Amino acid sequence: MGLLDVNATATADGGGKVRTALRPVVGADKIARLILGVLRKASGVSLRVEDVSGRPGLVGCLDGVTAAVIGIDLTQECRIGRLWLMMHPDKLHAWRTRGGR
């Protein structure tokens, strides 16, 4: 949680095919709880650091299949100010052909 700016915002896209937060999640505490809740439900998730659309990011794989791509914007204080979570299966095709099935 120390990496998150107190006013950080997380936005998710599941495209109606994957359950995600419907509205932006605002605040370090709420985002941390969201991430911990997701990780509890998907205990086999592995993360790798990658460039995501020109910004730092993470690619999450579940059982070897790309399940999420997360873009990160940093504040001037080098804290996470914004997270974009892409979980829409149709939009993950390019990431799946790179390294995850």
Side-chain angles (χ1 to χ4, degrees):
M1 201 166 112
L3 297 174
L4 292 164
D5 184 80
V6 68
N7 296 312
T9 302
T11 306
D13 179 0
K17 294 185 176 191
V18 176
R19 189 171 178 196
T20 61
L22 297 176
R23 290 185 281 281
V25 177
V26 180
D29 184 55
K30 289 180 182 177
I31 293 171
R33 284 186 288 170
L34 170 71
I35 291 170
L36 289 173
V38 169
L39 292 175
R40 261 189 234 112
K41 291 179 184 176
S43 61
V45 169
S46 65
L47 296 171
R48 68 180 184 269
V49 176
E50 283 205 29
D51 180 73
V52 175
S53 300
R55 63 176 50 103
L58 298 168
V59 175
C61 294
L62 182 59
D63 299 325
V65 178
T66 301
V69 175
I70 305 167
I72 300 169
D73 274 344
L74 299 175
T75 65
Q76 289 183 339
E77 295 79 25
C78 293
R79 295 202 184 274
I80 297 170
R82 189 156 179 88
L83 294 165
W84 284 272
L85 295 91
M86 176 54 59
M87 297 176 69
H88 189 307
D90 297 341
K91 294 180 181 179
L92 294 174
H93 175 73
W95 292 94
R96 290 185 174 138
T97 59
R98 285 188 187 195
R101 298 186 301 214

